[in-house]
Amino acid sequence: MEHPDKPLYDLHQKETVEFSGLGNTMKPIHSLVKENIKQIKPCIHGAEVYGAAEETGFKPEEILDFSSSVNPLGPSKKALEAAKSALNTVAAYPDSNSNMLRQVIASHFSGLSKNNLIISNGSTELMYLFAEAFLKKGEKALIPAPTFGEYESAVRKTGESPKFFRMGKSLQIDAEAFKREMVGVKLVFLCNPNNPTSKLIPQDILLDILENALAQDILVFLDEDFLEFVEEEKSLSMIKSINKFPNLFVLRSFTKIFGLTGLRIGYGIANEEIIDVLLCSKIPWNVNSLAQPAAIAAFNDEDHLKLTCKLINEEKKWLQQELSQFETFSFCAPDANFFFIDIQKTGLTANALKHRMLKQGILIRDCSSFNGLNEFYIRIAVKTHEENERLINALKYSLKSV
Ligand SMILES: Cc1ncc(COP(=O)(O)O)c(C=O)c1O
């Protein structure tokens, strides 16, 4: 097998490459690639269960994944049934604009119509689509650090560079400093509650930023993918404010609380003009025929959502108590369904702790790949009680011999 690090083309020696020994030659593919695409580095994520299985010898299904913060109960049974029933429709194209799902979601929020909604192949698709549609040459996007890494990749893919706002020790956005950095930018990405810090942006700060952005024609891409795990979700969401803020785009996902992670489906809410731009520029049939009915059923299954929120709230309290017993852990009470922990005092790096945990079949998120963080932060999802007990026991064991 070829060494994986070996470059495909030796750019310095050959100006043409021969393929398959057939005498067909052409310029090296590398030389044909757009510069911004050459610069792209894939973003690192949690949930690398398959890599972890290869490394440890566990089967992927034997690994307990605390690195991915999704519904520990999995999706609604009704959603799975809907996906199964839709199997007999896969011979036809799906509805390209997911109209039925848009209608269902719109009727859930007062003052919204389906024209305020776009459905996507995972919410990540909308980060890329939004940056591609709105960032013109030379324009800047402001991104807090640390936060979800795909905002940066989406900006870089357009050929433009992000401007970072370091949150500093407080891991909160200082409104005045942030507003100073906003001057002259075209687009701001915000994540509420934030991944990986699990903290909400205080409402007064969020509104202050939105008003300031509106006054300067700055677009705000507000990722609320984890907000459904927060008790006061309805009052904290900015969905109700899209008419007041024509510069606002709110992101939601079926990956997190709905647990339809592998079906890849998310959505965005904004004024009709923004939605029209995105609907025109997205690829056709972006959301498949199983995901659309599954999402409708999941959205309507309020009992499953209530059960999930009850479990998360109880287990968050239990985990908070248990994790507080580790004297070498520093963390704040989480707002979302995951804990963000500074482990520097343990004497281990996040990578070292991750590998000790993996030997026990448990995957945690080493956060050192997040821009703005050092190698001493981990992220842990809230799961079921039995799973959380296993986590705590494995952490105790991993830290015993430090
Ligand atoms: C804050 C945030 N937004 C979006 C996503 C991506 O979600 P989706 O699966 O809907 O693409 C993630 C995934 O981890 C995330 O952490």
Side-chain angles (χ1 to χ4, degrees):
M1 201 179 129
E2 291 279 336
H3 190 280
D5 293 336
K6 187 172 172 267
L8 273 179
Y9 303 104
D10 186 343
L11 297 177
H12 301 294
Q13 288 183 11
K14 290 184 193 156
E15 282 177 0
T16 57
V17 174
E18 185 183 331
F19 287 97
S20 338
L22 298 175
N24 297 332
T25 60
M26 71 175 286
K27 282 182 179 173
I29 295 296
H30 191 270
S31 69
L32 305 178
V33 180
K34 288 162 75 176
E35 281 313 310
N36 55 312
I37 299 298
K38 277 190 203 167
Q39 305 307 324
I40 286 177
K41 290 193 203 99
C43 182
I44 295 172
H45 294 291
E48 328 128 320
V49 175
Y50 296 97
E54 231 171 79
E55 182 186 323
T56 56
F58 285 107
K59 293 188 187 128
E61 61 275 18
E62 287 169 345
I63 291 179
L64 203 46
D65 183 12
F66 279 85
S67 74
S68 168
S69 309
V70 300
N71 189 332
L73 298 175
S76 137
K77 300 258 176 318
K78 290 178 182 163
L80 294 181
E81 282 308 316
K84 263 192 227 160
S85 307
L87 276 174
N88 62 7
T89 69
V90 300
Y93 280 103
D95 173 2
S96 189
N97 283 345
S98 309
N99 284 302
M100 207 185 291
L101 176 58
R102 288 164 77 206
Q103 192 60 59
V104 167
I105 299 174
S107 60
H108 186 81
F109 297 99
S110 70
L112 281 198
S113 91
K114 94 182 204 314
N115 299 333
N116 297 115
L117 275 145
I118 179 167
I119 314 293
S120 56
N121 191 287
S123 64
T124 303
E125 184 190 9
L126 291 170
M127 299 164 198
Y128 283 80
L129 197 57
F130 200 87
E132 187 189 24
F134 290 107
L135 261 193
K136 295 182 193 161
K137 202 167 166 43
E139 290 180 335
K140 287 253 175 283
L142 183 61
I143 305 178
T147 195
F148 185 54
E150 293 292 346
Y151 312 141
E152 173 181 352
S153 299
V155 170
R156 291 202 189 280
K157 195 163 176 208
T158 67
E160 302 311 314
S161 320
K163 176 177 176 186
F164 292 106
F165 174 85
R166 306 238 173 258
M167 289 195 223
K169 274 218 155 74
S170 71
L171 293 173
Q172 277 290 6
I173 291 176
D174 174 279
E176 293 311 313
F178 195 78
K179 285 190 293 185
R180 280 196 296 278
E181 294 301 317
M182 277 168 63
V183 175
V185 309
K186 169 70 169 288
L187 165 59
V188 167
F189 283 93
L190 292 172
C191 188
N192 194 37
N194 189 37
N195 173 13
T197 58
S198 202
K199 293 313 285 178
L200 284 161
I201 304 170
Q203 283 283 288
D204 55 336
I205 294 186
L206 189 51
L207 283 169
D208 192 11
I209 291 173
L210 279 169
E211 269 154 20
N212 199 272
L214 184 60
Q216 298 175 69
D217 298 323
I218 298 171
L219 294 165
V220 178
F221 186 101
L222 177 63
D223 183 338
E224 291 189 354
D225 276 10
F226 286 107
L227 195 60
E228 284 135 318
F229 289 104
V230 178
E231 267 175 283
E232 316 80 37
E233 177 228 335
K234 296 249 163 8
S235 63
L236 296 179
S237 174
M238 284 295 152
I239 291 175
K240 60 183 172 307
S241 304
I242 56 153
N243 292 325
K244 182 172 172 205
F245 294 109
N247 58 332
L248 172 64
F249 180 86
V250 181
L251 188 74
R252 288 286 178 113
S253 181
F254 282 94
T255 289
K256 311 294 181 194
I257 201 156
F258 294 101
L260 293 174
T261 316
L263 280 182
R264 308 304 304 131
I265 180 159
Y267 60 100
I269 301 182
N271 74 67
E272 290 189 22
E273 268 183 86
I274 290 184
I275 297 298
D276 275 350
V277 170
L278 299 177
L279 284 174
C280 289
S281 53
K282 79 175 183 64
I283 59 164
W285 314 296
N286 57 329
V287 183
N288 68 70
S289 324
L290 307 186
Q292 294 186 35
I296 292 174
F299 205 83
N300 285 329
D301 190 350
E302 285 183 16
D303 289 344
H304 187 67
L305 292 175
K306 276 190 197 138
L307 202 65
T308 303
C309 289
K310 185 168 174 288
L311 174 81
I312 295 288
N313 287 337
E314 286 169 6
E315 287 307 310
K316 210 154 81 163
K317 281 193 196 116
W318 185 81
L319 266 180
Q320 167 122 14
Q321 243 174 14
E322 292 294 316
L323 290 167
S324 312
Q325 309 293 315
F326 292 80
E327 284 170 8
T328 50
F329 284 179
S330 312
F331 62 95
C332 296
D335 289 322
N337 58 326
F338 49 88
F339 284 79
F340 177 64
I341 307 173
D342 176 348
I343 63 161
Q344 183 149 18
K345 288 196 205 127
T346 64
L348 292 177
T349 62
N351 185 43
L353 180 58
K354 174 182 157 182
H355 283 92
R356 285 182 184 210
M357 294 292 283
L358 255 189
K359 286 195 182 131
Q360 301 168 77
I362 291 182
L363 182 60
I364 60 170
R365 175 70 152 104
D366 160 8
C367 292
S368 47
S369 63
F370 280 90
N371 185 357
L373 291 182
N374 64 23
E375 68 269 44
F376 295 111
Y377 290 93
I378 59 167
R379 196 189 64 208
I380 289 172
V382 177
K383 292 175 78 74
T384 64
H385 190 68
E386 201 192 348
E387 291 168 332
N388 294 336
E389 279 183 333
R390 268 190 64 191
L391 170 89
I392 295 296
N393 289 335
L395 281 171
K396 283 181 186 159
Y397 186 79
S398 296
L399 294 172
K400 218 164 42 181
S401 53
V402 183

